[in-house]
Structures are given as C-alpha cells and as structure tokens.
Amino acid sequence: MGGSHSREGLEISDSDGEEYEDVEEEKEQGSSGSGSRSQKTPTSLDEVDAKLKALKLKYPSRNPNLKNAVKLYLHVGGNTPKAKWITSERLTSYSFVKTSRIYGADDEEEDEDENEDSDEEGNSWWVLKVSSKVRAKVATELQLKMFGDQRRVDFVSLGVWAMKFFTDEDYRNFVTKFQDCLFENVYGLEATDENRVKVYGKDFMSWAKPDASNDSIWEDAEDSFLKSPGSVTPVRANQDLMEEFEEASNGGIQSLALGALDNSFLVSDSGIQVVKNFSHGIHGKGVCVKFDTGNYRAGSSLEHSTPKKALLMRAETNMLLMNPKGEGKPHSTGLHQLDIETGRIVTEWKFDKDGTDITMRDITNDSKGAQLDPSESTFLGLDDNRLCRWDMRDRKGMVQNLATASTPVLNWTQGHQFSRGTNFQCFATTGDGSIVVGSLDGKIRLYSKSSMRQAKTAFPGLGSPITHVDVTFDGKWILGTTDTYLILICTLFSDKDGKTKTGFSGRMGNKISAPRLLKLTPLDSHLAGANNKFHGGQFSWVTEDGKQERHLVATVGKFSVIWNFQQVKNSAHECYQNQEGLKSCYCYKIVLKDESIVDSRFMHDKFAVSDSPEAPLVVATPMKVSSFSISSRR
C-alpha cells in the first residue's frame, strides 16, 4: 500500500440569495457505497449548488422565521471514485441543548437552546442537534473543521456532514457557541474570561485567545530552520512516499525498537526478530531471539508474557524489556536485560525504593542519543506519580552471580515521588537530557536534566489526556498525542535580557505562544473508524546538534499519517487561513495498510540518502513491517 494525500473537503461558493432544493433523497451514511449512479450526478457541493441555481426553483433560500437556519449536506461513498456530497436537508436548523440524554430519541421539549436536563447525579452536557438527523455531544470527537471563507463547517457524527450558513454572522455565531459549549463540556465551567484564566492561568491566555497571540516566535524558529546546516536539501511540496521493502514477521508484532547502527528489532509474541538497517529501510536477517524458558530465570514473569516496551542501551548491544504485571495494565514491577549478541537474558531487575517494591509505567533513555553510548548504565523511569533515574551498576562494585543471587535491585539515584496526583502517562528526553512529561489531565511539564522535583514550565491541558509525547533534539518543539489530535508546542521564549531560551531552562512567564494542532479531516477521521485513536506521535529522528527534524508521524487505525514539519510551523500556511481558535493543520500524507498499525517511526537521519531529504519511514503491523522513502520524484 502506498502513500496518499489527505482528502480535503470540496469547496462551495454560493450566494446569500441562492434558491435551494434537494438533489437526491439518499439514505446512505458515512463510507457506504453510492451505488450505480449516472456520471452526471453532481459529486461536489459546488456542482450541487450550481444545478440548484440553474433550476430557478421558487423555494426561498431561507425562512426568515426559522432560527439558526442552515443547509445540511451528507458525504457518501467514502474515498471511492463515486464519493460525493448530497443534500440532506433543503432547509433546516441547528440548536445546542444541555441534556444528559446524548443519544436516543429526539425530544420535542429540547428544541430550545440551553434547555436544562440533567441525570440523577446532576450531570449534563451540551449537545449539537441538526434537524432530526444529527444529535451528538459537543466534543473533539466531532472533528469539527471550519471553512470561514465558505461559511461552512464539516464534522463527524455517524457519518460526515457539512453545514452551510446563510450569512457571515450566522457562521460566526455558531463557531463561538460551539467553542463555548466545548469548553464547558471539557472543564465543567461556563466559558467566561474569568474561568478561562482559572483553567489556563494568566500566563497562558494565548491558548484561550489564540487570535490575539504573538506568533513571532514561530516565525523566528522557522527562520532558524531554513538556516540550519541540516536543511541544505530543500523540502519540496511534491514529495511522495515510495514503498521500498515489505518484510513478513514471525507473527504478533507488539513494538518496534529502531537502531541507529546496524540493526533494528521487532518485538513479537514469539520473540525478538533482528532486521538489518539500510538507507532504503529495514530488511530481515532471519535471526530471531525466541522467548523460551532457557533464556529466563526460573519463575520469570517473562516466560508467558510479551514485552510491551523495548529499550536499546549500551551502543545497542543490550535491550531492556518491560512487561506489564497484568493484562490491560501498563505498570511493571521490574524488567529484563537482554544481551543481544548472545541472545540471552543476563539480568532480571526489580524496581525498589527504600526497601519497598514499586512499579513503573514507562522507561526511556537518559537523552535522545544515549542508546549509542557503550558505557550507558542509567535510564529514566516514570510512574503515575514518580519520575526518577535508575542505575544498573551494583552499589558495592561487585558483579552479581545471576544463577545464585536473588533478583537484583535497581538503584534509585535521582528523582521525586509526588504526593499529589500528577497522573503521569508518558515522557521523552532531549539531546541534553532534559525531560518532558505528559499527563492524564492534558498537562505537559518540562524538567531540566538537573532537577526532577519541580517543573520549570507546565503547559495547561486542552482537556484531552496526553497518551504519548516526543521532543526535538534541541528541545525547542514538543509533540503531544491525544486520542483525536496532536498538539505541537514551541518552548522558545525571550527572557528579561532579551536572550532566547527554552522552557526547560527557565520560566517562560507570559511569553508563551499558542500551540498548533494537527488533525485529520472529518472524512479521514470517519474512515479511520470511530474506535481508532491517534497514538505514538513522533518527530523524525535526529541526534546531532545543528540538524532539524523534518517530519512528524502518528498512527491511527490502519493509517500512518505524516506532516511536513516546516509547513506546520509556517504561519502563512493555507490551512491556517479563515480559522478561528487554535490553528489546525490538515495537510498530510497517509500510508494505508491492510491491518491496524502497531507503530510508525522514521529511521535515524544517518540513513537519509542524497535524493531524499528524510530517512525512511518504517511502518509495523502485527504481521509485517514496511519501509517507505520520502522521495522528491513524482
């Protein structure tokens, strides 16, 4: 399966006085096929409106007595050649109601805006109703996309819909009300300036009112990108994805551990498959370290459990494998150390603090390039309320005999156990060892490499849990993953002396610029599936000062989605025109696979070749792994 561009919504441009009638009485929803239709059937909203206008029907364009009047369209045919927009309602209206009954029968008594109706526990939410066909909770899952120049919004609710407004004022009123309802549904507070300060903090008002935000720091960062020594190869708009290799696995791939040297590793149900790194991707060597009892100590928990986390260390000669202590739970009480050269487990480590067994949710290297250090003996650990550094060296300076010793205990050398619920979920490190941590409440905290006790900067959440986080080698950019979007944050600010710093080294104060969001179009979101969520958002892989990451990649369902980093940072980018609220970028390429994707990551930039400005992309599914090159050829 190759790569494709995002399927952008089709433009419409009708006049305020346009006359209106149904084109087809179709009942198809979402991605269902459109059946056998004449080739003359209009496929875009432009054509629909043009044909209606040509008919010169006597229907009025709007009913002056109808409150919140809109035109409603439905997208049918998915991404097939027969895909098209059809008119669902010649004239209808929308309303926002507050209710505990989000789905179900339409209630006449809820026809008025702001009708209060709560459940037994007093819980209620804002719901968007359009005609009798749409009834959905106001949430990011609607994937609302704005087309200000067309007075139009698209969204997902058991199908892909478009609403057209008759005046600019109608459009602006809807967008404002939608954003206010979303704020209240997320935070449980009325959308007032006072409550926005309460939620975001006075230093982060640019997040609440991005239109008034100063974007100059993004422009400065873009200038530095263009001057970067790593940017000698121009980034072209016509870059395409070309599949190079597809390698079958031994079955059940659970995770991907990319190496920057000779090999990478596929962790599966049956063992660890070793693959060879090339400039055009990864290719199998046929070597597999099996998970069998001969590799493990008696009673090892790894015998019948597949590792969920694999971390390369010591110049990629060792690998740490972490297993959850229970199905469906991410926490682990210890890990196993695999010697890759011999294919055997050499140590089973236990997490212990002050004589008490503790758990870890995640582990990562001390810095972004630390896995290449042959003397590396420390790594970082994260749990719900813990951030720490572990040391594998024995305190007494003696080598333990694995055959006779009890389970060795890792040494807690640095860190902090927070007394209150921080709900840490994920973390990553920069090139100098600074740490970024994502939380369940959506907050992203920055810690310097010298202190894990107090964050230098804490970015407020937008209401969605951060499930994965990554940071550029230089620490200037952070990418947070949520279920429905990615959030890109610039950490640069100017201190009181005019020096440019990152939020890892100093308190940013009120010099913080608004973040940007990376989203799927409503159609692609619908095609990805209601139960599919973004995961594993990553920058391309750089471990050298002066080089700039070029792309971002994330996975959702069977899609691997790729954004051009420079394009996302460009404030003049066409996606950002006619938007209200936080700027959202919808320009991406998609790699579509036959089954759900486990992970998508770029190889180390040393594997980039002369005719490609980027190292290959590796996409792993449970049964196979594929490599793609980003080429400048059409």
Side-chain angles (χ1 to χ4, degrees), residues 395-603:
R395 292 180 183 177
K396 301 175 182 178
M398 297 174 59
V399 178
Q400 299 183 59
N401 184 338
L402 184 61
T404 59
S406 60
T407 302
V409 174
L410 289 160
N411 297 320
W412 173 296
T413 61
Q414 182 188 2
H416 189 63
Q417 185 160 312
F418 297 87
S419 57
R420 288 183 292 176
T422 49
N423 289 315
F424 292 151
Q425 297 289 296
C426 49
F427 68 153
T429 51
T430 66
D432 69 358
S434 300
I435 307 166
V436 55
V437 182
S439 300
L440 188 63
D441 59 5
K443 288 184 177 178
I444 292 179
R445 296 173 173 88
L446 310 186
Y447 295 86
S448 70
K449 60 181 178 180
S450 59
S451 175
M452 300 180 188
R453 179 172 293 274
Q454 187 172 17
K456 291 287 188 181
T457 301
F459 296 102
L462 295 175
S464 300
I466 302 296
T467 59
H468 190 272
V469 70
D470 195 20
V471 59
T472 55
F473 184 81
D474 58 19
K476 295 178 181 178
W477 307 93
I478 293 169
L479 184 65
T481 304
T482 76
D483 290 347
T484 53
Y485 59 85
L486 307 182
I487 178 170
L488 181 66
I489 297 172
C490 181
T491 70
L492 294 173
F493 73 102
S494 296
D495 65 11
K496 59 183 180 181
D497 297 323
K499 295 180 179 178
T500 300
K501 295 182 177 179
T502 71
F504 292 100
S505 59
R507 298 196 175 279
M508 299 178 71
N510 60 3
K511 304 291 183 65
I512 299 165
S513 57
R516 294 185 182 171
L517 305 181
L518 311 182
K519 295 181 178 180
L520 292 180
T521 64
L523 177 57
D524 281 338
S525 177
H526 182 63
L527 294 174
N531 297 321
N532 289 315
K533 303 171 181 178
F534 271 122
H535 63 91
Q538 301 264 356
F539 292 101
S540 49
W541 190 9
V542 170
T543 58
E544 185 179 336
D545 282 325
K547 287 200 171 184
Q548 178 69 70
E549 293 81 354
R550 293 179 171 275
H551 287 86
L552 310 97
V553 62
T555 296
V556 53
K558 298 178 181 179
F559 294 166
S560 179
V561 190
I562 304 154
W563 281 266
N564 181 307
F565 191 17
Q566 184 180 357
Q567 189 176 57
V568 172
K569 288 187 289 187
N570 180 8
S571 294
H573 176 44
E574 60 183 352
C575 270
Y576 303 143
Q577 310 307 311
N578 300 301
Q579 285 193 14
E580 297 192 32
L582 293 174
K583 293 179 177 178
S584 299
C585 183
Y586 296 91
C587 288
Y588 47 77
K589 296 176 185 288
I590 287 178
V591 173
L592 173 64
K593 302 303 290 182
D594 294 330
E595 54 182 339
S596 291
I597 296 172
V598 173
D599 202 359
S600 305
R601 293 182 59 189
F602 282 97
M603 296 179 68

Side-chain angles (χ1 to χ4, degrees), residues 295-401:
N295 278 327
Y296 305 103
R297 298 161 48 85
S300 169
S301 61
L302 198 57
E303 290 181 29
H304 305 290
S305 176
T306 304
K308 302 299 183 185
K309 178 75 176 186
L311 187 70
L312 289 169
M313 292 188 70
R314 295 181 175 174
E316 301 180 359
T317 62
N318 279 233
M319 181 184 292
L320 300 182
L321 300 169
M322 193 166 78
N323 300 70
K325 63 180 182 179
E327 287 298 323
K329 297 181 179 179
H331 306 82
S332 175
T333 56
L335 48 80
H336 298 82
Q337 183 180 347
L338 170 72
D339 186 312
I340 294 171
E341 295 175 341
T342 63
R344 299 189 66 83
I345 298 294
V346 294
T347 312
E348 182 179 348
W349 295 101
K350 184 171 67 173
F351 297 125
D352 176 293
K353 184 179 186 297
D354 301 328
T356 302
D357 291 347
I358 62 173
T359 60
M360 288 283 110
R361 171 185 282 273
D362 199 5
I363 56 174
T364 195
N365 298 104
D366 279 347
S367 65
K368 218 164 180 69
Q371 71 186 60
L372 302 175
D373 182 358
S375 62
E376 182 188 23
S377 295
T378 61
F379 61 94
L380 299 175
L382 183 82
D383 206 25
D384 295 356
N385 299 314
R386 301 184 183 101
L387 176 61
C388 63
R389 176 170 283 108
W390 295 106
D391 194 336
M392 295 188 294
R393 291 168 294 193
D394 184 63
R395 292 180 183 177
K396 301 175 182 178
M398 297 174 59
V399 178
Q400 299 183 59
N401 184 338

Side-chain angles (χ1 to χ4, degrees), residues 15 44 60 71 93 107 177 181 185 213 257 273 305 315 334 351 364 381 385 391 453-454 618 625 628:
S15 63
S44 75
K71 309 172 186 179
S93 65
D107 296 315
K177 183 64 176 177
C181 290
N185 279 356
S213 173
Q273 184 177 350
S305 176
F351 297 125
T364 195
N385 299 314
D391 194 336
R453 179 172 293 274
Q454 187 172 17
V618 178
V625 60
F628 293 84

Side-chain angles (χ1 to χ4, degrees), residues 121-370:
E121 298 180 357
N123 296 319
S124 59
W125 305 269
W126 285 108
V127 170
L128 171 65
K129 291 174 55 182
V130 188
S131 179
S132 61
K133 299 184 177 181
V134 175
R135 180 187 178 96
K137 181 179 178 181
V138 176
T140 57
E141 285 76 10
L142 287 179
Q143 298 287 4
L144 188 85
K145 182 178 181 183
M146 307 172 199
F147 298 85
D149 55 335
Q150 301 179 52
R151 301 194 302 270
R152 164 188 167 195
V153 295
D154 293 5
F155 61 94
V156 179
S157 177
L158 301 177
V160 182
W161 304 88
M163 282 199 302
K164 279 276 292 181
F165 301 87
F166 292 94
T167 68
D168 290 339
E169 183 182 7
D170 291 344
Y171 168 78
R172 287 193 298 269
N173 287 341
F174 172 85
V175 170
T176 299
K177 183 64 176 177
F178 181 90
Q179 291 175 334
D180 287 349
C181 290
L182 179 61
F183 181 91
E184 188 168 342
N185 279 356
V186 168
Y187 300 108
L189 298 170
E190 188 179 349
T192 64
D193 288 345
E194 181 181 2
N195 284 336
R196 287 188 174 93
V197 172
K198 185 182 297 184
V199 168
Y200 298 119
K202 65 180 187 303
D203 291 339
F204 291 88
M205 287 312 292
S206 61
W207 293 42
K209 297 182 177 181
D211 294 338
S213 173
N214 182 359
D215 267 0
S216 61
I217 202 71
W218 288 81
E219 304 303 332
D220 292 344
E222 185 184 348
D223 290 343
S224 67
F225 177 90
L226 295 172
K227 297 171 185 175
S228 166
S231 304
V232 290
T233 307
V235 180
R236 297 181 177 88
N238 65 344
Q239 287 169 351
D240 283 338
L241 294 163
M242 301 183 63
E243 187 166 10
E244 303 282 0
F245 276 143
E246 185 171 86
E247 182 75 20
S249 78
N250 294 332
I253 295 177
Q254 297 287 332
S255 63
L256 178 66
L258 288 183
L261 301 177
D262 294 334
N263 302 315
S264 289
F265 308 88
L266 308 175
V267 182
S268 66
D269 294 334
S270 58
I272 299 174
Q273 184 177 350
V274 183
V275 288
K276 185 75 173 175
N277 291 334
F278 294 98
S279 59
H280 40 256
I282 63 176
H283 198 49
K285 294 176 64 178
V287 178
C288 185
V289 179
K290 296 287 187 181
F291 291 154
D292 58 59
T293 54
N295 278 327
Y296 305 103
R297 298 161 48 85
S300 169
S301 61
L302 198 57
E303 290 181 29
H304 305 290
S305 176
T306 304
K308 302 299 183 185
K309 178 75 176 186
L311 187 70
L312 289 169
M313 292 188 70
R314 295 181 175 174
E316 301 180 359
T317 62
N318 279 233
M319 181 184 292
L320 300 182
L321 300 169
M322 193 166 78
N323 300 70
K325 63 180 182 179
E327 287 298 323
K329 297 181 179 179
H331 306 82
S332 175
T333 56
L335 48 80
H336 298 82
Q337 183 180 347
L338 170 72
D339 186 312
I340 294 171
E341 295 175 341
T342 63
R344 299 189 66 83
I345 298 294
V346 294
T347 312
E348 182 179 348
W349 295 101
K350 184 171 67 173
F351 297 125
D352 176 293
K353 184 179 186 297
D354 301 328
T356 302
D357 291 347
I358 62 173
T359 60
M360 288 283 110
R361 171 185 282 273
D362 199 5
I363 56 174
T364 195
N365 298 104
D366 279 347
S367 65
K368 218 164 180 69

